[in-house]
Amino acid sequence: MAASFEKCLTETDVVSRFALPISWLSVLPRIEQGSHEVHLQVTDGFGFFWEFCCSIRRMGRYRKLVLQSEGWLKFVNHKGLKVGDKIVLDSEANDFRGTQFRIRAEKLNKECDQWLDV
């Protein structure tokens, strides 16, 4: 199953963690019984590999899916991301290698009013 998601970054995204829509549970590798997280290997728009830990909140009123801070903040800092920048996350099913994930970080170039990969 292929999926795509894009989001402009908030303060929480830039300093703490990145929230994903709960619908992505059906796209991610299965979270094992008794666990609340799964590790993802993701390729960015330039072909570099990143590892994120994706977890689901176990308590509270509703389930929430997030990329935890450790790998996520390395990505944010490496890309120099700020509030208002954009993340595009997509997946592509592959029968031989399993689902492949790609993440793109984009900044708005105000001179030409276009989003550019960083």
Side-chain angles (χ1 to χ4, degrees):
M1 167 189 268
S4 184
F5 166 67
E6 69 178 55
K7 176 182 178 184
C8 286
L9 297 176
T10 66
E11 183 73 23
T12 299
D13 296 325
V14 171
V15 301
S16 182
R17 64 194 171 278
F18 182 73
L20 293 167
I22 199 69
S23 63
W24 268 68
L25 265 179
S26 65
V27 178
L28 297 173
R30 201 174 77 109
I31 296 176
E32 296 297 323
Q33 182 76 20
S35 180
H36 70 282
E37 64 186 32
V38 64
H39 291 271
L40 298 176
Q41 291 185 342
V42 180
T43 306
D44 71 13
F46 295 99
F48 292 103
F49 287 94
W50 298 88
E51 187 165 330
F52 300 119
C53 181
C54 186
S55 67
I56 187 164
R57 180 169 48 197
R58 292 185 283 185
M59 297 182 188
R61 296 181 306 194
Y62 61 94
R63 300 183 329 170
K64 185 173 185 175
L65 197 58
V66 297
L67 296 181
Q68 293 180 353
S69 61
E70 185 178 349
W72 170 247
L73 292 181
K74 285 179 187 175
F75 179 80
V76 167
N77 291 329
H78 179 79
K79 300 288 187 178
L81 299 177
K82 308 275 187 234
V83 172
D85 292 341
K86 186 165 52 171
I87 292 296
V88 179
L89 182 63
D90 55 40
S91 69
E92 182 178 328
N94 183 306
D95 291 337
F96 299 103
R97 298 186 303 180
T99 301
Q100 304 294 300
F101 295 95
R102 185 171 72 142
I103 189 167
R104 292 187 353 252
E106 298 181 341
K107 290 182 172 279
L108 182 62
N109 180 328
K110 294 179 179 157
E111 291 177 13
C112 61
D113 197 34
Q114 290 184 334
W115 289 94
L116 304 174
D117 284 355
V118 293

